[in-house]
Amino acid sequence: MLKSAVKTALFILKLVIPFYIIADTLIYFEILQKISFLFTPITNILGLSPETSLAITAGILLNIYGALAFAVPLHLSPYEWTILGLFIGIAHALPLENAIMKKIGLSHLYSTILRLSSAFLAVFIFKLLPINIEGKSQGKEISFTHYDSFLDMLYNSFINASILAIKIIVLITILIFVMHYIKEKLFKNKKISTPFSIITGLILGITYGAGILIQEKSNLSKKDILFVGTFLMICHSLIEDVALFVIFGANMWVLIFIRLFLAIIISFLVMRFYKL
């Protein structure tokens, strides 16, 4: 368990600090501001500033840590963090996690379409809710920190990136110990079942939830695999993923309940079409 925590900490340091400095460098030379127009259609749909495009791209292709490294220097409002948390919480690490779902029999195309469409739908539902979250006004310009020189930027960027990495490492280390306890005390030697796979994925993540299916998929029907896979791709790791965005101001209950609601509804609809 301690080895896992150290390994995760090193991974976060290697990922977050370089990406954070890259983001600050792109902002300092106004490169990000100049290329952000390319992503305007996507960010407009989400209600975010175009500058968040790199955070979204890093989240979709890499993981949540990459998204955070690009997003934190932008000084987003709680409203914007909630939108980003909803979208990236569903549609992150697609190449890796789609490969995991492929092992249980769900195609890359199905996984990609499902997660991206669900991510956009989650944001759309959030915007319809009568919830007052700070920074909700649209069209707000992102504020950038002013630096006296490039070296000053590098120094402050490294310090800020290190602080961010430490925050994430502390949070993840605590969660690793909690999840280890949950896995060992509650889930050890449990018999495979559809509800058990979903509960495991909700708490521990898509890798654990799908991992159970991979081990026992010969004993499960295609219908069960499709249902669990669909549910987990929309709603998984409700502790770790949600906490990572909440520490920056995202609304915890919005992130949890919208994803749960979508997972239940979409999984039900997929099962109805499966029968037909």
Side-chain angles (χ1 to χ4, degrees):
M1 182 169 54
L2 182 60
K3 183 179 178 181
S4 175
V6 172
K7 184 178 179 181
T8 302
L10 291 174
F11 169 76
I12 292 171
L13 286 172
K14 291 178 182 178
L15 184 68
V16 170
I17 292 178
F19 278 13
Y20 193 106
I21 294 174
I22 290 172
D24 263 347
T25 302
L26 291 173
I27 293 169
Y28 179 81
F29 289 109
E30 298 186 355
I31 297 173
L32 179 58
Q33 294 89 315
K34 291 176 181 176
I35 66 172
S36 59
F37 76 92
L38 296 171
F39 302 90
T40 299
I42 296 176
T43 52
N44 279 347
I45 293 173
L46 296 179
L48 295 172
S49 300
E51 289 82 1
T52 58
S53 57
L54 285 183
I56 294 170
T57 303
I60 291 174
L61 297 180
L62 298 172
N63 49 45
I64 288 177
Y65 306 121
L68 290 175
F70 279 107
V72 172
L74 302 177
H75 306 292
L76 304 177
S77 69
Y79 177 74
E80 292 164 325
W81 273 114
T82 303
I83 290 178
L84 196 63
L86 273 175
F87 189 87
I88 298 299
I90 296 175
H92 63 266
L94 294 192
L96 173 62
E97 294 191 351
N98 285 1
I100 294 173
M101 301 313 292
K102 178 69 175 177
K103 287 183 178 293
I104 68 172
L106 301 181
S107 70
H108 288 282
L109 181 62
Y110 175 75
S111 299
T112 300
I113 293 175
L114 173 69
R115 295 183 73 176
L116 287 175
S117 59
S118 298
F120 280 110
L121 184 57
V123 174
F124 176 74
I125 292 173
F126 168 56
K127 290 184 177 183
L128 293 179
L129 297 177
I131 299 175
N132 184 25
I133 298 178
E134 183 186 346
K136 189 172 182 178
S137 59
Q138 303 234 358
K140 179 184 76 69
E141 289 188 6
I142 288 178
S143 60
F144 298 115
T145 304
H146 173 75
Y147 298 105
D148 295 329
S149 66
F150 180 65
L151 289 178
D152 180 42
M153 183 277 294
L154 284 180
Y155 172 77
N156 282 281
S157 184
F158 177 78
I159 297 298
N160 292 332
S162 299
I163 293 172
L164 171 61
I166 290 170
K167 284 182 181 179
I168 295 175
I169 288 170
V170 170
L171 175 64
I172 295 302
T173 301
I174 293 172
L175 290 174
I176 285 174
F177 279 87
V178 171
M179 290 180 180
H180 176 79
Y181 176 83
I182 293 172
K183 184 160 69 81
E184 291 297 317
K185 298 298 182 181
L186 302 182
F187 294 154
K188 193 173 183 180
N189 299 323
K190 294 291 184 181
K191 185 179 179 181
I192 184 71
S193 68
T194 298
F196 174 62
S197 300
I198 291 176
I199 292 171
T200 305
L202 282 174
I203 298 175
L204 301 177
I206 199 168
T207 302
Y208 285 106
I212 292 172
L213 295 179
I214 292 172
Q215 293 174 19
E216 300 286 342
K217 72 175 186 177
S218 60
N219 300 321
L220 294 170
S221 67
K222 290 183 178 180
K223 179 182 176 182
D224 288 336
I225 291 174
L226 176 62
F227 175 77
V228 176
T230 299
F231 191 100
L232 289 183
M233 280 191 281
I234 300 170
C235 189
H236 62 272
S237 191
L238 285 184
I239 298 176
E240 179 182 343
D241 290 0
V242 169
L244 285 170
F245 287 97
V246 168
I247 61 175
F248 297 105
N251 186 293
M252 178 177 68
W253 302 114
V254 168
L255 299 187
I256 291 174
F257 286 114
I258 288 182
R259 288 176 66 186
L260 270 174
F261 172 76
L262 273 180
I264 293 169
I265 296 300
I266 292 177
S267 298
F268 172 77
L269 291 175
V270 167
M271 289 299 96
R272 294 285 291 182
F273 281 108
Y274 181 84
K275 290 179 181 179
L276 294 175

